[in-house]
């Protein structure tokens, strides 16, 4: 079960792929300090916030992702969007707090739009209850389980500067960092 980053789809339409590449070029990548910074609470609920949410939803959709946190879009805000069912509306959570998580945990494979090519096993609580605000600043509570709970926890981690590398096993982290460095070198060589 891939997380955030959709699995590779070889039969994918070239136009869709090109749009995905363009979106990923707008998403902050591993090594960018904003991904390691604790994001600031949102305190203005205005048109600018709605525009930001819309832009993030578009980026996530074009990148064929299931979740995106504002720091990945270059904004240090406690804001995330997600959509775990392809046909449902994009959900936005502003200033989310995980107020309860189950003792029951499970391991699952996760990827990240900021860590291209990396897929690692991460253990997370199966159920969570999240308190947040919507785009208008009204309080809302989300109870999520399984994949949806995993996506929300992954995105909330981004708001605290935490990446899946920090949550996997030591061996998988080593392997992932090596593959990221190789990609970096290949990119630098091509530039
Ligand atoms: Zn991520």
């Amino acid at each position: 079960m891939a997380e955030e980053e959709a699995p590779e789809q070889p039969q994918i339409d070239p136009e869709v792929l090109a749009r995905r590449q363009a979106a990923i070029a707008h998403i902050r990548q591993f090594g960018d300090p904003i991904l390691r910074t604790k994001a600031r609470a949102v305190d203005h609920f205005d048109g600018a916030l709605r525009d930001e949410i819309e832009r993030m939803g578009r980026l996530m959709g074009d990148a064929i992702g299931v979740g995106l946190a504002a720091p990945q879009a270059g904004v240090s805000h406690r804001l995330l969007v997600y959509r775990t069912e392809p046909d449902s509306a994009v959900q936005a959570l502003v200033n989310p707090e995980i107020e309860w998580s189950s003792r029951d945990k499970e391991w699952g494979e996760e990827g990240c739009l900021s860590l291209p090519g990396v897929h690692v096993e991460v253990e997370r609580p199966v159920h969570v209850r999240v308190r947040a605000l919507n785009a208008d600043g009204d309080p809302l509570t989300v109870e999520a389980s399984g994949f949806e709970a995993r996506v929300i926890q992954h995105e909330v981690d981004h708001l605290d500067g935490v990446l899946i590398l920090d949550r996997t096993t030591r061996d998988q982290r080593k392997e992932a960092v090596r593959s990221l460095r190789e990609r970096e070198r290949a990119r630098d060589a091509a530039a």
Side-chain angles (χ1 to χ4, degrees):
M1 178 169 67
E3 155 80 15
E4 193 172 281
E5 190 187 27
E8 302 294 338
Q9 294 164 355
Q11 77 284 19
I12 210 163
D13 182 328
E15 214 171 288
V16 172
L17 248 187
R19 197 158 53 226
R20 177 166 196 257
Q21 288 312 322
I24 288 173
H26 282 97
I27 293 174
R28 300 301 178 96
Q29 298 296 309
F30 180 68
D32 190 312
I34 198 167
L35 295 175
R36 289 309 203 174
T37 306
K38 199 171 158 72
R40 291 189 305 271
V42 171
D43 54 7
H44 283 72
F45 295 83
D46 51 13
L49 180 66
R50 278 189 294 275
D51 289 349
E52 195 181 321
I53 291 169
E54 203 192 300
R55 175 175 161 254
M56 285 171 57
R58 214 166 37 232
L59 262 183
M60 175 181 73
D62 287 351
I64 320 180
V66 293
L68 191 72
Q72 293 180 282
V75 182
S76 183
H77 267 165
R78 301 192 76 78
L79 162 64
L80 65 88
V81 297
Y82 68 100
R83 180 173 55 195
T84 50
E85 300 288 337
D87 297 324
S88 62
V90 172
Q91 302 294 317
L93 300 181
V94 182
N95 299 342
E97 303 274 356
I98 296 174
E99 63 171 11
W100 173 83
S101 49
S102 65
R103 258 196 277 176
D104 192 11
K105 293 182 179 182
E106 68 186 0
W107 289 87
E109 192 187 83
E110 297 188 19
C112 180
L113 292 170
S114 296
L115 302 166
V118 168
H119 294 94
V120 293
E121 293 286 319
V122 177
E123 189 186 35
R124 304 212 188 253
V126 181
H127 311 280
V128 292
R129 188 169 60 240
V130 183
R131 212 176 25 195
L133 303 172
N134 67 15
D136 298 319
D138 301 322
L140 64 104
T141 300
V142 177
E143 294 195 15
S145 296
F147 184 57
E148 187 185 8
R150 181 173 290 279
V151 171
I152 293 172
Q153 291 173 84
H154 176 119
E155 303 311 334
V156 169
D157 271 353
H158 274 302
L159 306 182
D160 294 322
V162 173
L163 299 172
I164 51 176
L165 298 176
D166 309 320
R167 294 222 184 262
T168 191
T169 63
R170 197 206 303 221
D171 284 351
Q172 289 199 37
R173 178 168 56 241
K174 265 198 196 149
E175 180 59 39
V177 169
R178 186 162 51 224
S179 98
L180 285 164
R181 299 258 181 274
E182 268 165 26
R183 265 183 190 243
E184 236 166 52
R185 266 200 297 277
R187 201 179 49 216
D188 291 349

